[in-house]
């Protein structure tokens, strides 16, 4: 018997892990991060058509909507890793400069705190490093 009691969440996660391993041994090394590759980045024109200002000419463009989305994700503590990374990918495709992305996240530190900002910046940096393009 173990000296340290496990909390119910740890027990549940261990049971799920054991069950997945029993059903399919390949699931033991499964990483949900691979799901991100299933969702391609939309072309800028498609983003503008779907949620930009194509219908409402005076409304927000796709880049601004995505900056607001990034701000909201940061405000929630940047806990949705995939959503933050996907939003940054789409921002770059929509024409956002790296500086705009960093400033959006930085502005949220006033409201969400330094840990949320740091987490969001780390996730954004992963994506921006993938692109390896010069700062605009």
């Amino acid at each position: 018997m173990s000296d340290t009691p496990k909390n119910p969440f740890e027990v549940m996660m261990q049971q799920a892990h054991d069950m997945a391993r029993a059903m399919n041994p390949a699931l033991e090394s499964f990483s949900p991060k691979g799901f991100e590759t299933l969702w391609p980045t939309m072309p800028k024109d498609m983003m503008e058509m779907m949620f930009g200002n194509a219908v409402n000419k005076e409304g927000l463009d796709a880049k601004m909507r995505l900056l607001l989305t990034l701000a909201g994700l940061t405000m929630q503590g940047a806990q949705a890793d995939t959503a933050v990374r996907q939003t940054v990918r789409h921002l770059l495709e929509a024409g956002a400069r790296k500086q705009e992305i960093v400033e959006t996240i930085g502005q949220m530190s006033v409201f969400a705190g330094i840990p949320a900002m740091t987490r969001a910046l780390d996730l954004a940096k992963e994506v921006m490093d993938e692109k390896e393009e010069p700062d605009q």
Side-chain angles (χ1 to χ4, degrees):
M1 194 165 184
S2 170
D3 292 343
T4 58
K6 291 186 175 184
N7 69 42
F9 181 75
E10 287 175 327
V11 171
M12 181 185 72
M13 291 303 293
Q14 184 59 50
Q15 288 172 342
H17 182 79
D18 293 343
M19 184 174 67
R21 184 177 44 227
M23 295 172 119
N24 184 348
L27 289 176
E28 187 169 8
S29 61
F30 171 79
S31 169
K33 192 171 179 180
F35 277 129
E36 286 182 55
T37 59
L38 296 174
W39 302 101
T41 304
M42 280 189 273
K44 182 179 180 180
D45 293 338
M46 182 180 274
M47 282 190 268
E48 287 296 346
M49 182 184 72
M50 293 179 70
F51 50 87
N53 59 3
V55 176
N56 180 5
K57 298 292 183 200
E58 300 300 317
L60 300 174
D61 63 2
K63 182 176 89 170
M64 183 56 66
R65 289 178 192 271
L66 287 163
L67 287 169
L68 290 168
T69 300
L70 182 61
L73 290 166
T74 303
M75 285 295 297
Q76 293 175 334
Q79 296 302 307
D81 297 13
T82 300
V84 171
R85 284 191 293 261
Q86 287 289 72
T87 301
V88 171
R89 281 187 192 100
H90 281 97
L91 271 162
L92 293 170
E93 179 66 25
R97 293 177 293 121
K98 291 179 181 182
Q99 185 64 29
E100 292 173 309
I101 293 168
V102 169
E103 284 185 30
T104 298
I105 294 169
Q107 178 66 32
M108 293 304 101
S109 70
V110 175
F111 308 103
I114 300 297
M117 177 197 74
T118 303
R119 177 127 177 88
L121 284 173
D122 287 344
L123 293 166
K125 186 174 179 336
E126 285 178 29
V127 174
M128 291 188 284
D129 286 348
E130 286 172 8
K131 289 285 186 184
E132 295 182 3
E133 62 189 31
D135 286 333
Q136 301 173 355

